[in-house]
Amino acid sequence: MFTGVNKKNLPFSYMILLLLVIIPETYGYCSAEPDTVRKMIPYTLPWDDMPVDLSFIYKSEKPAGKHGFLQVKGERFIFEDGTEGRFWGTNFNSAQNFPPHDQSEKIAKRLAKTGINIVRLHQMDAEWSMPNIFQFTRGENKPSTTGFDPESLDRLDYLICCLKKEGIYIFMDQLTYRRFKSGDGVGAADRLGDAAKPYSIFDRRLIELQKKFIYDLWTHINPYTKLMYKDEPAIALASVVNENELIAQSRNITIEPYRTEIERLFGEWAGKKGVKPIPGKIDLSKPNNTLLQFLVETQQEYYHEMTGYMRETGVRIPVNGTFNWGGAHLYSQMVTDFTNSNVNWGQYNLWQIKKFRNESMTGAANNMTSRLAFNRLAGKPYFISEWDNPWPNEWRAESSLLMAATGALQGWGGLCIHTYRYTLDEDVGMIANGFK
């Protein structure tokens, strides 16, 4: 996808060259049957360079942010100067958001050569990753998650600066895999999972902790760009929370004091609506229409509160809630600036179950594009924040062509493949898992 040049469609030759960043960068093995292994042709690329250079396409687009802040106009992303924003990108996961400075420079230039113009900074708060935004090494045992690690933040700052210089925009995630701790003043912290799903949508203490994260992040001054994040036009999009919703996940609300709290909130809501209260303990695993309406409105109120606080903090770019599951959950996204979806093709849990679906997407009726089409809301821009056809699927190369063509045809705002890289521990020139 493009910002400011050839706005409507991708040239076919350009999509072919994009395969260089999609196809696995090492030896691969692929088979439809577990007992039959067929070698693939070795395909290697340097981690710090590319044999082709498409950066000339965006030469006039550098640095990122030169068109002003991204805005929403109908179903399109439009920059302040009237330029339409359309994006083709990738994800940086967990530790990859905090590379050494020399790696940031090389990776930014490499991405620019492939024609990528946006990176989603994902899982920055993941406790299982080192470094993360709260902690740089495993050597210390921090009792809370209420402050950023200065070394992690410095590396993030420099990465953003390098991407901006190369004309690459930022999609900023916020709450993704944060593990709240007892030092945060959170009840039953040791029993809450990643992002305290779905309790973080309705519990006041968890919401206040998210607001502190928002304030600390967006008012932080990047010493390399001299701008607060909220004043940085190279940061183009943001999400409140990742893969966290109340409607389907309400059945998981079993931990106290949160179970009692959700029932109290339902009682208050029912009183305001003049709804007859449900006698006895509420069965959250089988919500009726009344309970479903409560869950939808509670989720919408959460989005209102979080995006409202971001606006008060000075964030002016488009913000969405979380990615779409469809149905009532999709309806709850109507209060956000844009909608986004995550989808993958085939089985990516290869190392656990020892098999995967080795199948072409273009030959399947229920492929990624059909799923994505039903998760779009009319009247709002649409962004695919995660998609992939994970290695070792033999048909992986076709997916970038199909997704780019579909996105161009349907007028999607952008797509980010999942993912560029997760960690910094292993050799930067190898594949760590199927998502790369």
Side-chain angles (χ1 to χ4, degrees), residues 143-161:
S144 71
T145 59
T146 55
F148 298 151
D149 184 276
E151 179 65 23
S152 296
L153 202 54
D154 176 76
R155 289 191 176 194
L156 179 64
D157 288 337
Y158 195 72
L159 174 64
I160 290 173
C161 178

Side-chain angles (χ1 to χ4, degrees), residues 126-132 135-141 425:
E127 185 181 31
W128 42 262
S129 166
M130 290 295 162
N132 60 58
Q135 191 167 337
F136 188 71
T137 67
R138 297 189 187 278
E140 51 186 328
N141 184 23
D425 297 334

Side-chain angles (χ1 to χ4, degrees), residues 179-220:
R179 285 292 186 105
F180 295 95
K181 300 184 178 183
S182 57
D184 296 326
V186 171
D190 59 333
R191 299 180 60 194
L192 300 178
D194 294 330
K197 302 175 184 180
Y199 310 102
S200 51
I201 293 176
F202 64 88
D203 179 74
R204 294 314 310 171
R205 177 56 184 165
L206 291 171
I207 288 173
E208 291 305 316
L209 287 167
Q210 292 172 70
K211 286 183 176 180
K212 184 180 187 310
F213 182 98
I214 288 170
Y215 182 84
D216 292 346
L217 181 70
W218 293 97
T219 61
H220 167 71

Side-chain angles (χ1 to χ4, degrees), residues 88 368-369 372 384 387 399-408 412 415:
W88 180 262
M368 286 197 296
T369 59
L372 293 171
I384 314 306
W387 72 272
S399 59
S400 59
L401 296 174
L402 178 61
M403 295 298 286
T406 303
W412 296 347
L415 304 92

Side-chain angles (χ1 to χ4, degrees), residues 90-94 96-99 107-108 111 119-124 159 163 417 419-422:
T90 188
N91 282 257
F92 280 6
N93 285 59
S94 50
Q96 183 57 55
N97 294 294
F98 313 100
I107 291 171
L111 291 180
V119 170
R120 178 180 177 230
L121 302 184
H122 185 44
Q123 300 175 343
M124 295 189 299
L159 174 64
L163 293 172
I417 193 170
T419 185
Y420 188 80
R421 192 166 186 81
Y422 277 90

